[in-house]
Amino acid sequence: MVELLSRCVGDNHSILISSPARMYPQTVQDSIPYVELLQLFSNDWLDISVIHWFAMYFYETHNSQCGFFNPHHIKGDSCTKNPEGVQEHIIDMFMFHTDKTFFLAPYLANDHWTLIVICPSTERGYIIDSISREKDQHSYLLTSVIDEAFGFPFLWDMVNCKQQKNSWECGFMVIKNMYEFVNTIQHDFPIKASLWNEKGCLPQKEIDKLILDLTPQFISRVFPSAQVRGMHDNM
């Protein structure tokens, strides 16, 4: 996999990605450093540009009812330094996607990734955190910013989700949780929300399998001419 990626990237130090049509009011471009791509394949901490790419990919899921907040615009330091700007982005996305039922927020704060899902029509929010012990809604600046943006307090639920064993898995857990929500949970919610009633830690082999399953689409989309057939055999 790394050898194939190296051939595709060539002498470039990063690759440029663009948001799908209608994900945002205007097309958004992001740059993924090559070193961050290597971390995706080496069980390392994931950069915001990598998480953003996966959000772009999941946005195009067939029959999806989900919009996404741009993780660059809602991260923890923005909630601290410019909460009004974060609120503006949230409301802009809500008004732009009046056809969407759910909004997914890959949220980075204090070097930790959490997935927050909101359903404005029911005024409920769900916090999916792979290090959730002794936390509640007040542990996340973004929840209060969302409440302020909409002008009413959401009813916040801490989701029982798989926990991480080490310090590097949180980005991978957010990818897993986004993938499960857009592919399964959203289509029969809240009945299938029972999938969140999980215990214990996520084994590394399941993280590896998830990335192995998703990466061929990543490579073929970013590098359309890349030969990805048989990639599973080359990992």
Side-chain angles (χ1 to χ4, degrees), residues 17 23-24 28 30 47-56 68-79 86 89 93 104-109 113-115 142 174 178:
I17 56 175
M23 182 174 184
Y24 302 121
V28 171
D30 207 345
D47 179 70
I48 195 168
S49 59
V50 174
I51 299 296
H52 195 195
W53 178 86
F54 277 98
M56 293 180 187
F68 285 79
F69 299 139
N70 187 327
H72 288 283
H73 294 342
I74 61 170
K75 55 188 179 180
D77 58 353
S78 297
C79 292
V86 179
H89 174 70
M93 295 305 300
L104 276 61
Y107 176 57
L108 175 64
W113 284 103
T114 301
L115 179 64
L142 184 59
V174 164
M178 288 194 295

Side-chain angles (χ1 to χ4, degrees), residues 10-201:
D11 295 330
N12 298 319
H13 296 291
S14 63
I15 61 171
L16 192 66
I17 56 175
S18 297
S19 59
R22 288 196 55 77
M23 182 174 184
Y24 302 121
Q26 295 85 32
T27 299
V28 171
Q29 291 189 323
D30 207 345
S31 178
I32 306 180
Y34 177 55
V35 65
E36 305 296 346
L37 290 176
L38 293 179
Q39 291 180 188
L40 177 65
F41 305 126
S42 59
N43 297 140
D44 207 340
W45 194 89
L46 296 184
D47 179 70
I48 195 168
S49 59
V50 174
I51 299 296
H52 195 195
W53 178 86
F54 277 98
M56 293 180 187
Y57 175 69
F58 294 141
Y59 174 76
E60 296 188 297
T61 300
H62 185 60
N63 290 331
S64 177
Q65 305 172 50
C66 298
F68 285 79
F69 299 139
N70 187 327
H72 288 283
H73 294 342
I74 61 170
K75 55 188 179 180
D77 58 353
S78 297
C79 292
T80 300
K81 299 175 183 177
N82 184 24
E84 295 82 7
V86 179
Q87 292 175 34
E88 182 178 358
H89 174 70
I90 290 168
I91 293 302
D92 283 350
M93 295 305 300
F94 174 67
M95 297 300 293
F96 183 66
H97 284 299
T98 56
D99 59 323
K100 302 298 186 184
T101 302
F102 306 102
F103 290 84
L104 276 61
Y107 176 57
L108 175 64
N110 300 317
D111 294 326
H112 178 65
W113 284 103
T114 301
L115 179 64
I116 295 176
V117 178
I118 65 169
C119 182
S121 63
T122 62
E123 302 181 7
R124 299 196 69 160
Y126 306 88
I127 301 167
I128 313 167
D129 188 346
S130 57
I131 304 179
S132 59
R133 185 178 179 181
E134 298 182 353
K135 292 182 181 178
D136 60 21
Q137 69 190 71
H138 303 294
S139 304
Y140 311 88
L141 290 173
L142 184 59
T143 57
S144 61
V145 174
I146 290 172
D147 288 348
E148 288 290 332
F150 283 94
F152 56 78
F154 278 65
L155 178 61
W156 293 99
D157 292 323
M158 294 293 299
V159 171
N160 292 323
C161 63
K162 290 286 189 181
Q163 299 293 285
Q164 63 188 75
K165 290 183 178 180
N166 304 295
S167 61
W168 57 268
E169 298 104 324
C170 56
F172 295 90
M173 303 292 278
V174 164
I175 292 172
K176 167 190 178 292
N177 291 323
M178 288 194 295
Y179 177 74
E180 289 180 347
F181 191 88
V182 300
N183 280 278
T184 304
I185 296 173
Q186 67 162 321
H187 298 298
D188 197 8
F189 191 85
I191 296 173
K192 286 187 177 177
S194 61
L195 293 176
W196 280 338
N197 191 21
E198 301 175 318
K199 297 180 180 179
C201 295

Side-chain angles (χ1 to χ4, degrees), residues 206-218:
E206 291 190 25
I207 294 176
D208 294 341
K209 183 179 184 304
L210 175 68
I211 299 305
L212 183 63
D213 289 343
L214 293 176
T215 297
Q217 294 94 323
F218 174 89

